[in-house]
Amino acid sequence: GKIARDPLVWCEYADALAMAAGGALKGKPQELVSHALMIDAHNVRALEMAGSAAIETGDFKTAVDYWERLLKELPAEAPERMEVTKAVERARMRAAP
């Protein structure tokens, strides 16, 4: 149905499961976010959550990839750009050998 093709529905579901798991995105929520990105690879919410999930699993390089894609999707005047840029820099430093 139409709902199953809405990436935000999958993100909401992932969010709800993560909340129930004390905020952890790894595991099932991460799978749901991946599903949202399969539907729409440019979805801002899914990219943001995918990056956060990668950080949780210690995969900083993947987090940088997701969040750089996120920055490309955010409008220049988006208030969250600064926060995402800082998060990318932090993840980059942690990804460095």
Side-chain angles (χ1 to χ4, degrees):
K2 187 168 169 267
I3 287 174
R5 289 195 300 271
D6 182 351
L8 282 179
V9 170
W10 293 95
C11 289
E12 293 294 336
Y13 183 26
D15 219 14
L17 284 182
M19 295 277 224
L25 284 164
K26 60 181 177 234
K28 187 71 179 164
Q30 193 169 12
E31 287 170 32
L32 296 171
V33 170
S34 293
H35 190 80
L37 286 171
M38 277 193 275
I39 299 167
D40 177 6
H42 303 282
N43 185 274
V44 169
R45 178 108 189 267
L47 287 168
E48 189 267 319
M49 290 177 79
S52 297
I55 292 282
E56 265 178 45
T57 59
D59 189 350
F60 302 107
K61 191 180 174 326
T62 298
V64 168
D65 290 343
Y66 280 127
W67 287 342
E68 284 185 332
R69 283 166 57 191
L70 171 58
L71 283 171
K72 286 189 187 117
E73 300 302 326
L74 290 173
E77 67 284 354
E80 60 271 32
R81 278 191 77 87
M82 183 106 101
E83 198 181 316
V84 176
T85 303
K86 283 183 185 155
V88 166
E89 285 166 13
R90 280 197 303 272
R92 248 204 209 103
M93 280 171 15
R94 294 179 75 179

